């Protein structure tokens, strides 16, 4: 199965409900999750985590995306 690395900007667009990019990012993730496995790496995890106080909050984001 082909895999795709999801950029932190796409995740942050969704988490922050960015007015310019939310729709595009959410639609692309929804599209690709049907076609392939989505992945993040430790660097992306670290970039996204800086906006959260607790790891449980961060993990909840990744579960819902």
């Amino acid at each position: 199965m082909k895999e795709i690395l999801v950029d932190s900007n796409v995740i942050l667009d969704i988490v922050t409900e960015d007015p310019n990019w939310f729709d595009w990012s959410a639609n692309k993730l929804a599209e690709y999750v049907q076609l392939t496995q989505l992945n993040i790496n430790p660097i992306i995890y670290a970039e996204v985590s800086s906006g959260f106080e607790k790891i449980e909050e961060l993990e909840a984001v990744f579960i819902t995306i």
Side-chain angles (χ1 to χ4, degrees), residues 6-61:
V6 179
D7 187 72
S8 58
N9 289 321
V10 172
I11 298 166
L12 291 171
D13 290 344
I14 295 169
V15 171
T16 64
E17 297 182 10
D18 183 276
N20 297 315
W21 290 101
F22 176 83
D23 289 338
W24 184 90
S25 295
N27 289 333
K28 286 300 176 185
L29 276 185
E31 175 185 344
Y32 284 111
V33 75
Q34 301 298 319
L35 304 172
T36 188
Q37 179 177 325
L38 303 178
N39 296 314
I40 63 166
N41 64 21
I43 294 170
I44 293 167
Y45 188 92
E47 289 175 345
V48 174
S49 72
S50 67
F52 294 87
E53 290 186 27
K54 297 181 180 182
I55 193 167
E56 294 83 7
E57 294 170 354
L58 174 63
E59 290 294 325
V61 166

